[in-house]
Amino acid sequence: DRKPEGEPISDAMVKVLAWVATEGYLHPKCAQVRIYQNLGKSQPIRDALAEAGMTWSEFVTAKRVNGNDESVNFNVHAVHGRRIRELLPNKKLTPGLLNRLTNDQLDLLIETMIDGDGCRSGSQPAFIQKKGETAEAFKMALVMAGRSFGVHDRGNGIEQITIRDGKRYCVKRALNG
């Protein structure tokens, strides 16, 4: 069984980090962190921030863009933004951070990231992301959680990582032989 390494992180913070990794923006001139989401899908972010004991302000844009609903901009206050930036430097999920999570927290991270940049239509949830560090870290989290997945190239530098929910694997350290 995989055991987390280092200082524990709360479940609420795991959710906040997942939202920042997928929908976040790091303000370039201060420690404030912003999270953007469609108005109709914004309540889980509000809930995660409140559960984590964070303070924030928010505003709604009243225009529809590319057929999407109005969006909410959550401005997480700098005192909390500093902690988020410490755990998620440059919005990147690091191996060190992933190793601090329990198996249940890895699942929570995965599911929240799908809520941010994924799709739950059909029988298999999928995470859709530009190829790069966030997609690779998501795949690393899946491997660490023992979850089976497939990767589909959608073109234009976008990949779809589809989770095969019925399959789980046990990842164990191999002996040098």
Side-chain angles (χ1 to χ4, degrees):
D1 247 352
R2 194 185 73 74
K3 301 221 183 305
E5 300 171 1
E7 180 186 342
I9 297 172
S10 72
D11 290 354
M13 180 60 87
V14 170
K15 287 187 247 182
V16 169
L17 295 174
W19 282 112
V20 172
T22 56
E23 303 291 341
Y25 170 77
L26 303 180
H27 195 289
K29 295 184 180 177
C30 68
Q32 189 179 68
V33 173
R34 294 180 180 163
I35 305 171
Y36 299 93
Q37 184 56 274
N38 291 339
L39 181 61
K41 295 170 69 178
S42 62
Q43 190 59 46
I45 298 169
R46 212 172 274 114
D47 294 343
L49 293 169
E51 187 181 337
M54 295 185 179
T55 54
W56 72 93
S57 61
E58 59 184 83
F59 66 89
V60 177
T61 58
K63 61 182 177 181
R64 293 177 65 87
V65 178
N66 297 326
N68 290 323
D69 291 336
E70 296 84 357
S71 65
V72 179
N73 177 351
F74 295 89
N75 296 306
V76 181
H77 295 157
V79 66
H80 309 295
R82 284 191 261 301
R83 178 71 174 143
I84 291 168
R85 288 168 184 258
E86 176 186 309
L87 293 169
L88 205 65
N90 298 315
K91 281 185 39 176
K92 304 300 180 203
L93 294 164
T94 64
L97 173 67
L98 295 177
N99 277 317
R100 289 173 65 177
L101 304 181
T102 66
N103 288 336
D104 287 343
Q105 287 178 323
L106 283 169
D107 285 335
L108 182 60
L109 178 83
I110 290 163
E111 295 304 321
T112 305
M113 288 180 74
I114 291 169
D115 290 341
D117 271 343
C119 173
R120 293 189 186 277
S121 61
S123 63
Q124 296 176 318
F127 183 66
I128 301 162
Q129 184 72 219
K130 291 179 189 169
K131 293 178 183 178
E133 290 180 63
T134 302
E136 294 304 314
F138 183 79
K139 289 183 259 186
M140 179 186 280
L142 288 169
V143 169
M144 291 172 70
R147 295 180 73 174
S148 175
F149 63 95
V151 179
H152 172 71
D153 186 340
R154 294 178 61 139
N156 294 325
I158 305 291
E159 63 185 5
Q160 177 175 319
I161 304 160
T162 303
I163 300 171
R164 300 180 184 116
D165 270 339
K167 297 182 180 176
R168 291 261 181 178
Y169 299 95
C170 181
V171 179
K172 294 185 179 186
R173 183 179 306 264
L175 298 175
N176 289 337

